[in-house]
Amino acid sequence: EAGVTQFPSHSVIEKGQTVTLRCDPISGHDNLYWYRRVMGKEIKFLLHFVKESKQDESGMPNNRFLAERTGGTYSTLKVQPAELEDSGVYFCASSQDLQEGETQYFGPGTRLLVL
Amino acid sequence: AQSVSQHNHHVILSEAASLELGCNYSYGGTVNLFWYVQYPGQHLQLLLKYFSGDPLVKGIKGFEAEFIKSKFSFNLRKPSVQWSDTAEYFCAVNLRYSSASKIIFGSGTRLSIRP
């Protein structure tokens, strides 16, 4: 069974440009999450999708970040325009259901560097 | 606010030494607790988890953790470490509420094993 995949693995862009990150969850997983780790800090929650619906987007830093999950399969996270402080590793995770003991499975992350 | 504290940022041990990584959480409700590990160049993997039952949980690669509710702790242990245990270790708590879920991570502990 394929795990969570993310694309690209690395992205280097200039301040003011736009970047779109993609996440493909494990097949059949309704729950999809985005997290971010800024250099030297802890991994922080960004948002949670159940199928195509945003259940919790309380961790999104500001309106320069837009996450979508059209059709309830893969998700994209767009940063527009990117700022220097957006640099970090963006992780995606998925889980099957929200029952007790839910386990989130993580992708390899996308390393974003904004110059 | 809910939080997870990991006591050590960087731990250096020799092979065959015993390991204990401290973790305390701040959350008054029912908790699901996790330890994730990230080996160099790899993605976050689940090491072990606790959600109910025996507070001493065993994970992969000889790791175990003990949930002590009265101390709000979930320390990770291994009796004899190997060079291959060099990695970053994250303690985490899963908060589930209504129909949403998110993981709160500690800041991570980098473990270096001297061969």
Side-chain angles (χ1 to χ4, degrees), chain A residues 33 35 37 41-45 48 50 55-56 58 91 98-108, chain B residues 30 32 34 36 38 43-44 46 49 51-52 88 90 94 96-103 105-108:
Chain A
Y33 307 83
Y35 294 85
R37 189 181 195 191
K41 305 269 188 174
E42 65 271 23
I43 301 167
K44 285 199 169 180
F45 168 83
H48 170 206
V50 176
Q55 292 298 112
D56 181 356
S58 61
F91 294 101
L98 295 182
Q99 291 182 8
E100 188 175 37
E102 174 207 9
T103 297
Q104 295 182 19
Y105 297 91
F106 283 78
Chain B
T30 302
N32 291 171
F34 302 82
Y36 280 89
Q38 187 170 26
H43 58 92
L44 278 164
L46 180 67
K49 68 179 180 182
F51 59 95
S52 66
E88 190 161 18
F90 297 90
N94 186 343
R96 292 178 297 114
Y97 43 99
S98 60
S99 56
S101 169
K102 62 182 171 185
I103 290 179
F105 283 92
S107 54

Side-chain angles (χ1 to χ4, degrees), chain A residues 50-100:
Chain A
V50 176
K51 296 184 180 178
E52 66 274 12
S53 298
K54 291 177 188 174
Q55 292 298 112
D56 181 356
E57 52 184 329
S58 61
M60 294 288 263
N62 51 60
N63 59 10
R64 295 185 293 103
F65 289 75
L66 175 64
E68 294 180 317
R69 195 184 181 196
T70 307
T73 54
Y74 70 90
S75 173
T76 58
L77 179 64
K78 183 162 73 173
V79 185
Q80 179 183 31
E83 298 289 344
L84 300 179
E85 63 264 25
D86 300 333
S87 296
V89 182
Y90 290 77
F91 294 101
C92 176
S94 72
S95 70
Q96 192 162 24
D97 55 48
L98 295 182
Q99 291 182 8
E100 188 175 37

Side-chain angles (χ1 to χ4, degrees), chain B:
Chain B
Q2 302 91 356
S3 65
V4 177
S5 298
Q6 291 185 240
H7 310 313
N8 309 98
H9 292 299
H10 190 191
V11 173
I12 302 173
L13 295 173
S14 298
E15 277 195 312
S18 64
L19 169 72
E20 180 160 3
L21 301 183
C23 173
N24 287 89
Y25 64 93
S26 169
Y27 180 61
T30 302
V31 290
N32 291 171
L33 295 159
F34 302 82
W35 277 96
Y36 280 89
V37 59
Q38 187 170 26
Y39 297 102
Q42 296 188 31
H43 58 92
L44 278 164
Q45 300 172 41
L46 180 67
L47 203 54
L48 48 79
K49 68 179 180 182
Y50 169 82
F51 59 95
S52 66
D54 189 345
L56 183 63
V57 292
K58 296 193 182 298
I60 60 172
K61 304 187 180 186
F63 285 91
E64 65 178 30
E66 186 175 14
F67 169 54
I68 303 179
K69 189 174 180 180
S70 61
K71 294 184 178 181
F72 296 90
S73 70
F74 191 55
N75 293 354
L76 181 71
R77 298 193 293 250
K78 185 171 184 178
S80 176
V81 295
Q82 301 172 306
W83 178 79
S84 58
D85 294 325
T86 295
E88 190 161 18
Y89 293 80
F90 297 90
C91 182
V93 59
N94 186 343
L95 305 182
R96 292 178 297 114
Y97 43 99
S98 60
S99 56
S101 169
K102 62 182 171 185
I103 290 179
I104 307 295
F105 283 92
S107 54
T109 297
R110 195 154 56 92
L111 176 65
S112 299
I113 306 297
R114 291 189 292 247

